[in-house]
Amino acid sequence: MKIEKNIPLPRKQAKQATWAALVDNMDVGDSVLVNNVTERASLTNAIKAQGYEVTTRKEDDKIRVWRMS
């Protein structure tokens, strides 16, 4: 193995930016139906990161996420 120095760390913005853009378009009371707990976690984290409150409820085999404030 070879040690390499000064290699910049790539940004992980692609997926985060997608969730943030979705939150930007949500108004209070709007909801999104996501497929699994991974998507729920990503969306709830994006909502909370923008300073909003969030709540979720299970709907059959999916999860609905609401922006509450």
Side-chain angles (χ1 to χ4, degrees), residues 9-23:
L9 181 64
R11 297 183 69 154
K12 293 180 14 178
Q13 295 298 327
K15 288 185 181 183
Q16 291 174 355
T18 301
W19 292 112
L22 181 63
V23 174

Side-chain angles (χ1 to χ4, degrees), residues 13-37:
Q13 295 298 327
K15 288 185 181 183
Q16 291 174 355
T18 301
W19 292 112
L22 181 63
V23 174
D24 287 340
N25 291 313
M26 291 178 78
D27 293 322
V28 174
D30 286 353
S31 67
V32 175
L33 189 63
V34 295
N35 295 314
N36 53 51
V37 294

Side-chain angles (χ1 to χ4, degrees), residues 1 7 12 24 26 30 32 37-38 44-45 58 60 69:
M1 284 192 205
I7 305 297
K12 293 180 14 178
D24 287 340
M26 291 178 78
D30 286 353
V32 175
V37 294
T38 303
T44 57
N45 287 339
K58 189 166 172 97
D60 298 321
S69 66

